[in-house]
């Protein structure tokens, strides 16, 4: 049996199985149900579509959370610049310290 004959035979068997009355008969126990799929859309939101890519608008807690985390990051950057900025800019050597260790001028 050649490959073409095997493929035709398989196609005939599949077509007969799909066309059989037992497969097409409705069940007396289960009523047909129409499915409605949302594909994880989560409802109708405002979206912006550009070049085939749709982006949903962020919710309020995403906006406020991003603003809060951004503020913390910038405060940290400003704090580190206040502490280590002169060493970073070459105005002081990094081994000179911060002069706020509470040693009261005593040597170790």
């Amino acid at each position: 049996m050649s490959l073409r004959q095997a493929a035709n035979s398989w196609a005939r068997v599949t077509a007969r199985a799909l066309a059989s009355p037992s497969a097409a008969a409705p069940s007396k126990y289960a009523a047909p149900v129409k499915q409605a799929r949302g594909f994880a859309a989560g409802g109708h939101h405002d979206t912006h579509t550009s070049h085939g890519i749709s982006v949903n608008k962020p919710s309020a807690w995403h906006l406020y959370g991003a603003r809060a985390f951004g503020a913390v990051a910038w405060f940290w950057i400003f704090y580190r610049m206040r502490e280590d900025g002169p060493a970073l800019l070459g105005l002081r050597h990094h081994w000179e310290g911060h002069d706020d260790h509470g040693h009261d001028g005593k040597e170790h």
Side-chain angles (χ1 to χ4, degrees):
M1 181 184 266
S2 71
L3 185 60
R4 176 172 275 169
Q5 289 173 340
N8 286 339
S9 173
W10 188 83
R12 272 187 263 118
V13 169
T14 305
R16 262 189 262 134
L18 291 176
S20 70
S22 62
S27 172
K28 63 180 181 180
Y29 300 110
V33 178
K34 182 179 178 182
Q35 287 186 337
R37 291 186 175 194
F39 294 107
H44 299 285
H45 296 288
D46 294 330
T47 60
H48 175 73
T49 303
S50 177
H51 300 288
I53 299 174
S54 296
V55 179
N56 293 332
K57 289 187 178 179
S59 63
W61 75 272
H62 281 110
L63 292 173
Y64 293 128
R67 192 167 290 169
F69 280 118
V72 168
W74 278 110
F75 291 146
W76 179 254
I77 289 169
F78 292 146
Y79 172 74
R80 292 312 312 165
M81 192 63 176
R82 186 182 75 183
E83 295 293 322
D84 297 330
L88 181 67
L89 297 174
L91 303 175
R92 186 184 74 201
H93 295 291
H94 65 277
W95 59 82
E96 289 177 1
H98 299 290
D99 297 332
D100 60 352
H101 295 289
H103 296 296
D104 299 327
K106 296 178 184 175
E107 291 293 324
H108 291 285

